[in-house]
Amino acid sequence: MPRARSRLTPPSFRRFASLGLAGLLSLAWTACKPATPSTAPASAEAPAVPVALTTAIFVRHGEKAADDPNDPSLSPAGEARAKALAELLGHAGVTHLFASEYRRTQDTLRPLADAAGLQITVLPASAPQELVAALRALPAGAIAVVAGHSNTVPGLIDALGGQVRDTVEAGGQPSLPDDAYDRLFVVTLPVAPATGQTQTLELRYQGKPSAP
């Protein structure tokens, strides 16, 4: 099957399978330079101040029901996946939520929105450039979660300089396989597009929240 356009991604950010909340929270959200040793000459360059990076977490909407061919809601499995996503990211410091105009993406983020006390920003799926611009405009240190579709998530990540592997071609563009609902992509954006490399980490999350 055709794959998304190749981009170099550091080995340390290759795909990991079946990581839970503990693994996600172990990510380094900031980058810094080592401090200059105290024995360095007075003219040596001063230590760099740690800079908070912007992180965008992409998921596809949960499994959809068959109640509406144009704008279906989530099936029971999709609702369980939405709750599992809220459990996974409820304490991750999420600051922004984005979804398309379709019910299934907004319903996927609803439990997380309720847990984090956040509003969901709705942007049209047909205008990915608006979402890319909104993500790039977020303040340093922001953590956004984006619920998209199988045929929008790979393109959005690519537009940010990231990479999605194991895609299929649908409508002339890379898409997630139709049965892939458990893939989660953590995209770390450089402070400025021209000053660093976007890094992509892929995780998988189960569709059932943990038992109490």
Side-chain angles (χ1 to χ4, degrees), residues 58-181:
F58 290 85
V59 296
R60 180 190 179 190
H61 60 77
E63 290 88 336
K64 54 190 176 182
D67 54 351
D68 185 337
N70 296 317
D71 189 13
S73 60
L74 295 180
S75 68
E79 292 175 352
R81 188 171 298 282
K83 292 177 182 178
L85 182 67
E87 182 179 285
L88 179 68
L89 299 178
H91 300 285
V94 174
T95 59
H96 297 77
L97 299 173
F98 295 92
S100 73
E101 70 272 30
Y102 295 100
R103 286 193 294 169
R104 55 192 182 274
T105 58
Q106 297 174 48
D107 289 347
T108 297
L109 294 184
R110 192 73 60 194
L112 178 57
D114 292 341
L118 296 173
Q119 296 294 319
I120 300 172
T121 299
V122 176
L123 295 174
S126 60
Q129 68 279 2
E130 293 186 23
L131 177 55
V132 170
L135 292 173
R136 289 203 180 279
L138 292 177
I143 300 174
V145 180
V146 179
H149 303 264
S150 61
N151 61 345
T152 65
V153 168
L156 289 167
I157 295 175
D158 180 77
L160 290 170
Q163 179 185 9
V164 177
R165 298 183 174 90
D166 300 323
T167 60
V168 298
E169 185 174 327
Q173 60 187 356
S175 301
L176 300 177
D178 190 58
D179 60 350
Y181 290 96

